[in-house]
């Protein structure tokens, strides 16, 4: 039987069915998601057309679409789910065990919650490193907005996990590398056990799934298994285990740039009964006070003052902490180029100092050799600390690393160096709306040939923050 | 997800917590003074740790968290009331129980003229505790999987992180509220000024 949640996969077929059976009063019989029912005489035939066009025919070959006789309107009011209903806690209650933690209230779940497909606990399996996880923040925000009161957990690689120090919407972040094709059997089964134990309603995956990864998601026993699949033959069989699949245009999801999770966002924010389409939120990151204090101490020891330095990020390095995207290979600039830019920054009489952020200690000597002994260098690997650093700076000069996105998320002035205009358009599609970000892209398609005159001009626009800055961001 | 369930009822958590239980040990009648076994000479002189400390041999039963009370009504009869409760033995208690048991066996054997040194070792090993090597009581060995409670499933780190994120959310909310209040105030002041100028 087709539940309204499932029928979302058929939303795209709405126009064609309407063409086949136009004569139907829309008001009372209109089932969820604008799928108009055809008149009864043609039912059998159109059913065939329907199931042929369904996105995931593996799931239910006998799926006839929404039930005609079923009253979708009456009993189950539409709209979003309510936040988790919790009875008031009574400390004198001898049956203390009945106080379930948030999100685990089986005896209070209504039937409407089942019909609506409420999501109380969601898990996101995020593939990739820092950059991909930073760009995943809007998806988490969307989950929170679309399903009020949802608990979001994340499963990602060790590098990616560090990002969630800046995300207020996530509960647990667990380290498990979904990109590892041959995980340790013990690790694999342990992770499955952890996922099963948390009783997820929804599991989202951004790793391109073949049958193997789809099985992993399936075995987590989540109610809805949703994820990307390979756009080629490798996806064969994945549909058996997934309730909803998304096909990215290429085999590398990160090629999509800033909007790499568009298909997923569209699906999460899909309109339902009495729920309009959920608008997508821009990328936002938050910083905790503790982290801020820690980083303040760190950069003052590196010899710079708050608001009086320019962060330089994107030095060519083979370190894992360079925070580049998988969708952009040519995004790190060698040190001698950076030395030039740094000279330009420090030659200004505004009192701004360049601060080199290095992903590995081995670069310290190189920089001291290349730029000078008295250069300010900060060894910093975690994205949370980088965000704090950017937040307290006068501006950022960076190539296409996570630093660019973080600077824009905190509304800091930023000069972004890109290897080509197309890449810039992909990774910073919002740049026209933002006055604070200057994009400089290389004309030849290679980052190394970037126009330094333009960079120097842009760098001169940085203003040191006023000393009595009361309004902290 | 063991821990949120545990946290939800606080008296269970309190009973499982070794530090909070420590003060109960002194009061409990079922304590054994370990020091007197030293005279028999079967103990190595290195065992400074358990020198003459009071170790509780039996778990104190005064804190028994109630799990469930089931009442069954039977016609023409009294109600059956079943009370179920749960308690755990802490690592330290378990250890002392094993120690005392093995010591008892060894003493008996000595009494009947057998050599007991190797047997004691075997017994203690079998009980999973090593009295000779401080490493097994050190943090490096115990911290991963033994905090005194006998649960194996720990997500302390995760809970820490989760609570940090909750704090973050609260901070953000506060900031937002402050901003809004500030904005409102500005609006009010602007309105007042307008009124004054009129």
């Amino acid at each position: 039987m087709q539940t309204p949640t499932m029928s979302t996969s058929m939303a795209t077929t709405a126009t064609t069915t309407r063409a086949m059976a136009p004569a139907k009063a829309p008001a009372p019989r209109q089932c969820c998601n604008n799928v108009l029912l055809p008149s009864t005489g043609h039912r059998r035939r159109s059913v065939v057309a329907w199931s042929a066009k369904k996105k995931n025919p593996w799931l239910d070959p006998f799926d006839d679409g929404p039930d005609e006789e079923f009253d979708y309107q009456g009993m189950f009011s539409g709209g979003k789910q309510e936040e988790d209903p919790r009875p008031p806690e009574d400390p004198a209650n001898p049956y203390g065990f009945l106080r379930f933690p948030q999100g685990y209230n089986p005896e209070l779940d209504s039937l409407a919650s089942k019909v609506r497909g409420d999501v109380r606990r969601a898990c996101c399996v995020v593939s990739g490193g820092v950059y991909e996880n930073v760009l995943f923040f809007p998806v988490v925000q969307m989950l929170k907005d679309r399903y009020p009161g949802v608990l979001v957990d994340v499963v990602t690689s060790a590098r990616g996990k560090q990002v969630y120090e800046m995300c207020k919407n996530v509960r647990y972040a667990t380290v498990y590398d979904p990109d590892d094709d041959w995980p340790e059997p013990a690790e694999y089964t342990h992770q499955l056990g952890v996922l099963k134990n948390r009783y997820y309603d929804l599991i989202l995956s951004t790793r391109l799934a073949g049958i193997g990864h789809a099985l992993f998601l399936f075995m987590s026993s989540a109610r809805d298994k949703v994820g990307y699949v390979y756009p080629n033959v490798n996806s064969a069989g994945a549909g058996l285990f997934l309730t909803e699949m998304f096909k990215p245009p290429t085999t590398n999801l990160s090629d999509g740039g800033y909007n790499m999770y568009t298909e997923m966002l569209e699906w999460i924010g899909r309109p339902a009964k009495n729920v309009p389409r959920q608008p997508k939120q821009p990328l936002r990151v938050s910083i905790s006070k503790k982290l801020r204090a820690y980083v303040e101490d760190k950069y003052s020891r590196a010899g710079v003052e708050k608001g009086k330095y320019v962060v330089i990020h994107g030095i060519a390095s083979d370190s894992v902490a360079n925070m580049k995207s998988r969708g952009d290979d040519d995004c790190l600039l060698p040190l001698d180029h950076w030395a030039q830019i740094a000279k330009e920054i420090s030659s200004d009489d505004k009192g701004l100092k360049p601060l080199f952020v290095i992903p590995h200690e081995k670069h310290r000597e190189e920089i001291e050799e290349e730029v000078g002994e008295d250069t300010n260098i900060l060894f910093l690997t975690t994205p949370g600390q980088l965000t704090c650093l950017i937040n307290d700076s006068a501006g950022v000069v960076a190539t296409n690393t996570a630093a660019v996105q973080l600077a824009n998320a905190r509304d800091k002035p930023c000069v972004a160096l890109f290897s080509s205009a197309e890449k810039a358009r992909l990774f910073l599609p919002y740049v026209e709306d933002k006055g604070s970000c200057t994009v400089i892209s290389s004309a030849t398609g290679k980052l190394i040939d970037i126009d330094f005159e333009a960079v120097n001009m842009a760098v001169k626009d940085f203003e040191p923050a006023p000393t009595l800055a009361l309004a902290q961001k | 997800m063991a821990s949120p369930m545990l946290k939800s009822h606080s008296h269970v958590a309190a009973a499982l917590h070794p530090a909070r239980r420590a003060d109960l040990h002194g009061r409990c009648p079922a304590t054994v003074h370990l020091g007197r076994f030293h005279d028999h000479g079967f103990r190595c002189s290195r065992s400074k740790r358990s020198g003459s400390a009071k170790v509780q041999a039996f778990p104190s039963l005064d804190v028994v968290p109630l799990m469930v009370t089931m009442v069954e009504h039977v016609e023409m009869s009294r109600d059956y009331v079943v009370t179920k409760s749960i308690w755990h033995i802490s690592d330290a208690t378990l250890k002392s129980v094993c120690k005392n048991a093995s010591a008892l066996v060894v003493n008996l054997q000595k009494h009947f003229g057998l050599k007991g040194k190797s047997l004691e070792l075997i017994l203690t090993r079998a009980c999973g505790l090593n009295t000779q090597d401080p490493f097994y009581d050190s943090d490096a060995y115990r911290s991963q999987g033994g905090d005194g409670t006998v649960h194996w499933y720990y997500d302390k780190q995760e809970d820490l992180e989760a609570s940090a994120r909750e704090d973050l959310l609260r901070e953000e909310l506060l900031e937002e509220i402050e901003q809004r209040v500030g904005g409102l105030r500005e609006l009010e002041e602007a309105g007042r000024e307008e009124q004054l100028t009129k």
Side-chain angles (χ1 to χ4, degrees):
Chain A
M1 147 132 196
Q2 173 91 37
T3 58
T5 29
M6 307 261 287
S7 65
T8 49
S9 56
M10 310 194 321
T12 47
T13 62
T15 46
T16 47
T17 42
R18 198 174 287 142
M20 279 164 59
K24 183 83 185 174
R29 278 280 83 149
Q30 187 179 9
C31 293
C32 46
N33 305 330
N34 308 323
V35 180
L36 288 181
L37 288 174
S39 55
T40 1
H42 299 287
R43 186 139 185 244
R44 278 287 112 202
R45 206 148 42 90
S46 60
V47 158
V48 177
W50 249 339
S51 18
K53 262 173 212 144
K54 261 180 35 158
K55 261 191 196 161
N56 192 350
W58 288 99
L59 281 177
D60 190 358
F62 305 108
D63 185 357
D64 293 350
D67 189 358
E68 271 207 326
E69 267 88 55
F70 193 77
D71 177 23
Y72 288 105
Q73 283 283 340
M75 178 169 182
F76 304 116
S77 62
K80 279 187 197 170
Q81 64 186 49
E82 303 104 39
E83 290 215 11
D84 200 17
R86 295 197 76 182
E89 281 184 10
D90 177 14
N93 187 355
Y95 305 105
F97 60 93
L98 280 179
R99 284 177 289 163
F100 286 91
Q102 192 200 354
Y104 295 82
N105 247 338
E107 80 272 32
L108 288 179
D109 259 1
S110 59
L111 186 55
S113 138
K114 179 84 183 153
V115 172
R116 274 197 306 248
D118 282 6
V119 177
R120 300 233 172 272
R121 296 168 300 277
C123 177
C124 309
V125 181
V126 187
S127 127
V130 167
Y131 208 120
E132 285 78 14
N133 278 281
V134 164
L135 292 184
F136 195 73
F137 279 21
V139 182
V140 177
Q141 185 64 49
M142 175 75 94
L143 273 175
K144 275 272 173 189
D145 294 345
R146 178 63 181 75
Y147 302 109
V150 68
L151 296 174
V152 185
D153 296 347
V154 170
V155 172
T156 183
S157 62
R159 276 295 293 159
K161 182 196 162 166
Q162 298 183 338
V163 166
Y164 293 96
E165 164 178 42
M166 306 181 283
C167 188
K168 56 184 181 178
N169 293 323
V170 166
R171 182 178 54 158
Y172 295 134
T174 315
V175 174
Y176 173 81
D177 194 357
D179 297 322
D180 191 356
D181 282 326
W182 301 100
E184 294 271 324
E187 217 175 278
Y188 182 84
T189 44
H190 173 75
Q191 190 55 41
L192 272 180
V194 168
L195 294 183
K196 275 177 85 88
N197 254 328
R198 290 180 182 166
Y199 293 91
Y200 288 117
D201 294 326
L202 171 71
I203 190 162
L204 292 169
S205 162
T206 69
R207 191 207 150 160
L208 303 191
I211 195 169
H213 187 60
L215 251 177
F216 177 75
L217 299 178
F218 184 83
M219 284 192 286
S220 71
S221 311
R223 189 190 64 203
D224 298 335
K225 282 82 55 179
V226 173
Y228 281 95
V229 292
Y230 281 106
N232 51 24
V233 288
N234 289 327
S235 69
L240 268 172
F241 304 107
L242 298 178
T243 33
E244 183 73 37
M245 309 181 278
F246 316 118
K247 265 193 188 151
T250 61
T251 48
N252 187 359
L253 199 58
S254 310
D255 281 343
Y258 180 78
N259 292 319
M260 60 193 278
Y261 302 120
T262 315
E263 296 93 347
M264 185 172 268
L265 277 167
E266 238 160 56
W267 181 79
I268 298 171
R270 69 198 182 276
K273 221 172 87 174
N274 299 347
V275 184
R277 171 162 284 285
Q278 193 72 43
K280 187 191 163 190
Q281 298 294 322
L283 173 65
R284 291 276 113 194
V285 294
S286 28
I287 306 173
S288 70
K289 275 181 195 148
K290 218 188 261 178
L291 194 61
R292 192 174 282 169
Y294 177 75
V295 174
E296 208 165 318
D297 176 53
K298 208 168 170 179
Y299 70 68
S300 58
R301 265 188 281 133
V304 290
E305 280 173 68
K306 182 173 182 173
K308 295 231 160 63
Y309 60 91
V310 176
V311 177
I312 291 182
H313 196 265
I315 299 165
S317 163
D318 53 357
S319 161
V320 286
N322 52 23
M323 303 195 203
K324 60 180 193 178
S325 167
R326 280 183 190 167
D328 194 357
D329 295 328
D330 184 21
C331 66
L332 296 175
L333 211 55
L335 193 57
D336 45 335
H337 291 71
W338 281 119
Q340 228 172 308
I341 296 170
K343 211 177 281 169
E344 193 64 37
I345 295 171
S346 47
S347 71
D348 244 355
D349 50 353
K350 289 175 191 161
L352 286 176
K353 284 180 179 175
L355 176 64
F356 284 86
V357 176
I358 51 173
H360 197 281
E361 276 290 358
K362 68 185 173 190
H363 300 299
R364 193 180 286 272
E365 277 184 19
E366 294 168 25
I367 293 176
E368 277 173 359
E369 252 174 48
E370 190 83 33
V371 189
E373 285 291 325
D374 54 345
T375 327
N376 304 106
I377 304 169
L378 192 57
F379 167 58
L380 198 150
T381 56
T382 69
Q385 293 183 22
L386 182 62
T387 315
C388 287
L389 191 72
I390 287 170
N391 194 42
D392 286 353
S393 71
V396 183
V397 189
T399 52
N400 184 18
T401 60
V404 169
Q405 303 291 350
L406 294 173
N408 282 318
R410 298 301 299 186
D411 293 325
K412 277 281 157 185
C414 166
V415 175
L417 316 182
F418 275 87
S419 56
S420 63
E422 294 89 69
K423 285 279 177 213
R425 220 169 299 127
L426 274 179
F427 282 90
L428 296 174
Y430 49 78
V431 81
E432 277 90 22
D433 312 331
K434 266 205 174 130
S436 57
C437 185
T438 320
V439 171
I440 296 161
S441 43
S442 165
T444 58
K446 289 218 168 118
L447 187 61
I448 219 161
D449 303 325
I450 205 157
D451 180 15
F452 277 98
E453 288 304 310
V455 178
N456 293 340
M457 288 297 291
V459 158
K460 278 190 178 141
D461 290 343
F462 285 142
E463 289 290 335
T467 17
L468 286 171
L470 292 175
Q472 287 180 352
K473 274 257 171 95
Chain B
M1 280 308 308
S3 46
M5 293 293 277
L6 271 181
K7 265 181 205 152
S8 58
H9 35 117
S10 55
H11 46 294
V12 175
L16 293 177
H17 206 280
R20 260 185 255 168
R21 257 180 93 148
D23 58 336
L24 293 170
H25 291 176
R27 267 184 273 134
C28 189
T31 49
V32 174
H33 201 246
L34 270 185
R36 65 193 172 89
F37 290 122
H38 276 257
D39 307 336
H40 296 282
F42 65 86
R43 270 192 155 280
C44 175
S45 57
R46 267 179 62 213
S47 58
K48 219 172 24 178
R49 240 172 322 118
S50 56
S52 62
K54 268 196 175 178
V55 180
Q56 189 189 18
F58 304 107
S60 62
L61 297 174
D62 48 351
V63 186
V64 177
L66 180 73
M67 264 189 81
V68 69
T69 305
M70 296 183 295
V71 182
E72 200 179 333
H73 295 287
V74 179
E75 287 290 316
M76 309 293 294
S77 167
R78 283 186 173 186
D79 291 352
Y80 290 97
V81 181
V82 180
T83 313
K84 287 190 176 180
S85 54
I86 185 169
W87 49 266
H88 292 279
I89 308 177
S90 73
D91 270 2
T93 321
L94 197 65
K95 194 168 179 173
S96 70
V97 168
C98 285
K99 254 187 200 165
N100 289 325
S102 63
L104 184 70
V105 172
V106 170
N107 273 352
L108 286 176
Q109 288 195 331
K110 280 203 154 183
H111 187 74
F112 293 112
L114 294 169
K115 244 188 153 183
K117 176 80 179 168
S118 56
L119 194 78
E120 190 221 356
L121 265 179
I122 292 168
L123 277 174
T124 47
R125 291 269 157 79
C127 288
L129 42 99
N130 194 324
T131 50
Q132 310 293 320
D133 195 345
F135 169 72
Y136 292 106
D137 267 343
S138 69
D139 209 35
Y141 182 72
R142 289 280 173 191
S143 63
Q144 277 301 313
D147 55 352
T149 70
V150 214
H151 294 279
W152 327 2
Y153 196 84
Y154 302 96
D155 33 27
K156 279 187 186 165
Q157 178 66 31
E158 299 209 323
D159 281 341
L160 262 177
E161 286 170 9
S163 61
R165 277 186 214 110
E166 268 170 33
D167 289 345
L168 192 61
L169 179 63
R170 227 166 290 135
E171 275 175 30
E172 287 267 304
L173 274 179
L174 276 179
E175 255 176 44
E176 208 171 286
I177 290 168
E178 272 172 21
Q179 275 180 2
R180 275 195 196 165
V181 168
L184 277 179
R185 236 178 244 153
E186 274 174 22
L187 274 179
E188 271 178 22
E189 277 168 19
R192 245 179 246 154
E193 276 173 18
E194 266 183 28
Q195 279 182 349
L196 283 177
T197 48
K198 274 176 190 172

